[in-house]
Amino acid sequence: MIDLYTWTTPNGRKVSILLEELGVPYKVHSIDIGKDEQFAPDFLAISPNNRIPAIVDHETGRSLMESGAIMLYLAEKHDRFLGEDRWATIEWLMWQMGGVGPMLGQVHHFVKYNPGKSAYAEERYSKEARRLYGVLDKRLTARDFVAGEYSIADMAIWPWISRFEWQQIGLDDFPNVRDWYGRIAEREAVQKGYDVPHHVTPIPLP
Ligand SMILES: N[C@@H](CCC(=O)N[C@@H](CS)C(=O)NCC(=O)O)C(=O)O
């Protein structure tokens, strides 16, 4: 059994989507980051960076923080969703971890939650968001999924794109991203994983 510590955010949903895709049993523990539950000593023992998601795998005794590490661990353990070209999968997973997550996170912070506080930051991160969407759109020109077949890289990127409205991005401007987003949104495991630890809204559709 796996314990998943998570909240209703893109980084949390990445892991619940993967667990649903794998079909392995897991127990959900809500860590409400709006109430600072990520700073509780019990949680810090598992996730010393005070961030969700984190897991404890009781079968192996391993605990892990950082969504990318968790996804690689689970994919390797079950030998699934690493794609036919493992290094392409890792490459695009790292692209999400190093670029999409941090940059779109800044868009949410400045554009969605603190508009008007810093025109510079709003412009900088919005521009970066459009650049990243452009990179993804180009990558998806000749393939259905970022590493060829559906993999943990898609599962890592997709929850960030599901916030396209927060980012004031029109998906019709990026047709390959729009189609890829729709293909993934149709998956039952994605719909279930999106609602962990609880339902907030239906999956936004363009
Ligand atoms: N690089 C980390 C980022 C995790 C992260 O930023 N989690 C956010 C929610 S999406 C969080 O827990 N924030 C709590 C805080 O900032 O104190 C990962 O991918 O797991």
Side-chain angles (χ1 to χ4, degrees), residues 1 39 73 75 78 82 105:
M1 174 67 91
F39 297 104
Y73 170 80
H78 296 277
L82 281 165

Side-chain angles (χ1 to χ4, degrees), residues 9-12 14 33 38-39 50-53 66-68 97:
T9 68
N11 286 321
K14 289 184 215 173
I33 61 174
Q38 70 274 31
F39 297 104
N50 62 265
R51 299 271 157 105
I52 63 93
E66 285 293 328
S67 57
M97 292 297 292

Side-chain angles (χ1 to χ4, degrees), residues 155-174:
M155 293 178 222
I157 300 165
W158 185 89
W160 284 98
I161 304 304
S162 77
R163 296 236 153 126
F164 62 92
E165 288 163 328
W166 289 25
Q167 297 146 15
Q168 299 181 0
I169 297 271
L171 285 188
D172 286 341
D173 292 350
F174 303 95

Side-chain angles (χ1 to χ4, degrees), residues 3-134:
D3 280 323
L4 168 65
Y5 298 81
T6 193
W7 191 239
T8 57
T9 68
N11 286 321
R13 286 172 176 153
K14 289 184 215 173
V15 178
S16 46
I17 287 170
L18 174 57
L19 286 163
E20 291 293 339
E21 292 282 10
L22 290 169
V24 296
Y26 64 102
K27 187 173 168 198
V28 177
H29 302 263
S30 281
I31 303 292
D32 185 341
I33 61 174
K35 291 187 181 153
D36 281 351
E37 289 177 1
Q38 70 274 31
F39 297 104
D42 285 1
F43 180 64
L44 286 177
I46 301 163
S47 186
N49 195 36
N50 62 265
R51 299 271 157 105
I52 63 93
I55 63 162
V56 178
D57 182 349
H58 293 285
E59 202 175 85
T60 60
R62 178 167 293 281
S63 77
L64 279 172
M65 63 172 185
E66 285 293 328
S67 57
I70 295 168
M71 295 182 96
L72 282 167
Y73 170 80
L74 291 171
E76 190 183 89
K77 184 179 177 196
H78 296 277
D79 197 19
R80 293 189 65 197
F81 301 117
L82 281 165
E84 63 224 347
D85 180 348
R86 181 170 297 220
W87 281 108
T89 301
I90 293 171
E91 179 183 40
W92 286 89
L93 175 66
M94 294 302 144
W95 179 75
Q96 184 284 309
M97 292 297 292
V100 170
M103 292 299 111
L104 298 189
Q106 295 305 317
V107 177
H108 299 171
H109 187 77
F110 286 104
V111 175
K112 160 92 176 153
Y113 286 113
N114 293 284
K117 290 209 178 132
S118 171
Y120 173 79
E122 284 182 54
E123 193 194 326
R124 174 177 162 81
Y125 294 118
S126 296
K127 200 170 156 200
E128 179 63 0
R130 291 196 76 81
R131 189 190 69 79
L132 289 163
Y133 271 77

